[in-house]
Amino acid sequence: MFLQRLLSFIGWPVIAGVIIALLVLFLFPQLRSAPAPATHAPANVNTGVVSYADAVNRAAPAVVNIYTQKRVVQRYQNFYNNPFFRQLYNNSNTPQQERMEKTLGSGVIVDSEGFILTNNHVINGADRISVLLYDGRYTAAELVGIDKANDLAVLRIKLDNITAINIGNSDNIRVGDVVLAIGNPFGVGQSVSQGIVSATGRWNLGINSAENFIQTDAAINPGNSGGALIDAYGNLIGINTAMLDETGASFGISFAVPVDKALNSLKQIIEFGTVRRGWLGLGVSYLNREQAEQLGSNGVLINEIEKDSPAAKAGFQLNDVITHIDNIPIGIAPGKFEIHALSNIQPNAEVVFKVIRDGKSLEIKAIAAFPPTKT
């Protein structure tokens, strides 16, 4: 009797609790089961970029190793290296010997026709150029032409089923963007290094005569020259060209030719056999910050006008300040429209300049010509 009363007393609360629990589970199904503690992030959770493997997989098949051979003729060395005999050899017909000097570098296949971009200094003076593809095929390469001012060269290979790299937009890169360098450092085989864009529009480095470099801290070592600088998605944004240090090891300051400039050179070399640049006959220097503030505008000061040049015929005067080129303002520091960008103007192209002269704004149109031949 007592047990029956006890069960009757506690039974209704239990039944009510079960009913309430069932209602909660029905209304809130996510409470039916709790997930087990995760030891790592689930595959479908976006935790940010943790690998650049996809970018490398897209770009790496288009990056090649370049090997060159150059025939060098030199004196027979056994006695010539001896100071006692050297003066005799300097005044005689010393026996000579030939040897093959080998160099290595990298290149990038930029289209399915087999055209490859690399550096001029990689293939300069070579008697034989060979290319090793990512898939292991080895073939001879033809030199199509060079752009000495940008230290670029265009090669061509004739093979089927070759992979061209995806082309990016070097105008859109920003300082801080992640970049990857792919090449053949020290001949160890294709390797990848990672860094960020440290600066854009670097110039006046004495590397070549038409400088507008992307600076990066990705490791660039001997053998990387001519290789690909890609963004985090595997798109080509530059051709690795130089490092700042002269000891032969990378110290985090390296330079690449922007892909838009490199492709412009490639297209002209394919079409004309050389790079055609327009000539205006202007010598300019950048305004410093104080001069720009006094003038109320950034720009470049004209300090030289060549006689009978397109600039002279257009009416430019010394001390004119150019503030815009084709409606694009010139920045306080060299950028994509820096001094050397004028060298990319095509012959016979009309260029519109905005100029400040004696405090007044003017518009001057000049038609670029072919550079005069040097005698």
Side-chain angles (χ1 to χ4, degrees):
M1 191 70 175
F2 174 76
L3 184 59
Q4 187 178 3
R5 280 174 149 182
L6 180 63
L7 290 174
S8 178
F9 177 77
I10 65 174
W12 286 110
V14 172
I15 293 171
V18 171
I19 293 172
I20 292 172
L22 290 172
L23 287 172
V24 170
L25 291 175
F26 179 76
L27 295 173
F28 303 98
Q30 65 270 26
L31 299 177
R32 292 176 187 174
S33 60
T39 58
H40 56 80
N44 62 343
V45 176
N46 183 10
T47 58
V49 175
V50 294
S51 174
Y52 298 104
D54 290 340
V56 174
N57 286 339
R58 291 184 69 196
V63 181
V64 301
N65 297 346
I66 296 176
Y67 303 93
T68 68
Q69 290 183 318
K70 179 181 180 180
R71 182 176 287 102
V72 178
V73 178
Q74 61 185 24
R75 287 177 170 176
Y76 190 67
Q77 296 294 312
N78 284 355
F79 290 102
Y80 186 75
N81 285 333
N82 188 313
F84 180 77
F85 293 103
R86 185 175 301 152
Q87 61 179 346
L88 300 177
Y89 278 92
N90 283 335
N91 298 298
S92 64
N93 295 323
T94 309
Q96 294 183 332
Q97 62 178 359
E98 289 187 0
R99 65 181 178 86
M100 296 302 292
E101 187 176 83
K102 298 180 180 181
T103 61
L104 58 88
S106 305
V108 187
I109 302 173
V110 293
D111 76 357
S112 59
E113 297 296 316
F115 289 105
I116 295 173
L117 274 170
T118 186
N119 288 141
N120 180 45
H121 74 260
V122 170
I123 55 84
N124 186 36
D127 295 305
R128 184 183 303 167
I129 304 172
S130 302
V131 171
L132 176 64
L133 275 68
Y134 183 78
D135 60 12
R137 287 182 291 175
Y138 190 77
T139 185
E142 169 197 0
L143 176 61
V144 180
I146 65 170
D147 176 5
K148 191 173 181 180
N150 281 309
D151 191 18
L152 293 171
V154 177
L155 309 178
R156 190 177 187 185
I157 56 175
K158 295 181 179 180
L159 290 175
D160 297 327
N161 301 318
I162 57 177
T163 301
I165 201 164
N166 296 294
I167 305 299
N169 188 341
S170 51
D171 285 345
N172 292 339
I173 63 172
R174 301 172 299 168
V175 174
D177 282 351
V178 171
V179 290
L180 305 169
I182 308 178
N184 180 25
F186 298 109
V188 299
Q190 190 178 98
S191 303
V192 182
S193 58
Q194 180 258 334
I196 62 169
V197 174
S198 305
T200 59
R202 287 292 194 216
W203 69 292
N204 201 28
L205 301 171
I207 297 173
N208 58 42
S209 61
E211 298 175 344
N212 178 22
F213 288 118
I214 301 168
Q215 180 184 327
T216 173
D217 67 345
I220 305 296
N221 289 295
N224 274 112
S225 292
L229 186 70
I230 64 172
D231 62 20
Y233 305 99
N235 302 311
L236 181 69
I237 59 170
I239 301 297
N240 295 316
T241 298
M243 53 190 166
L244 188 62
D245 188 74
E246 297 180 354
T247 63
S250 175
F251 280 86
I253 302 179
S254 305
F255 304 99
V257 177
V259 68
D260 59 340
K261 175 174 279 193
L263 288 178
N264 177 60
S265 296
L266 177 136
K267 291 175 182 176
Q268 291 197 55
I269 288 171
I270 293 173
E271 185 175 355
F272 307 115
T274 186
V275 177
R276 311 194 319 175
R277 291 186 170 90
W279 171 66
L280 292 169
L282 280 174
V284 296
S285 61
Y286 266 83
L287 299 179
N288 59 36
R289 193 173 298 276
E290 182 179 346
Q291 291 172 320
E293 289 176 354
Q294 291 177 353
L295 190 65
S297 176
N298 298 322
V300 291
L301 177 71
I302 297 177
N303 52 30
E304 180 183 1
I305 302 174
E306 296 185 41
K307 185 179 179 181
D308 297 326
S309 67
K313 295 174 182 178
F316 280 102
Q317 296 181 12
L318 292 177
N319 298 320
D320 283 350
V321 175
I322 300 173
T323 61
H324 294 72
I325 302 175
D326 284 335
N327 292 319
I328 299 174
I330 293 175
I332 187 65
K336 71 175 182 178
F337 291 98
E338 85 294 351
I339 295 171
H340 298 292
L342 293 174
S343 64
N344 287 326
I345 296 172
Q346 291 297 292
N348 302 318
E350 183 180 76
V351 187
V352 180
F353 297 87
K354 288 186 179 179
V355 173
I356 294 178
R357 178 186 298 166
D358 298 327
K360 297 180 181 179
S361 182
L362 304 173
E363 184 175 279
I364 297 178
K365 296 180 180 179
I367 298 177
F370 284 96
T373 56
K374 295 181 180 180
T375 58

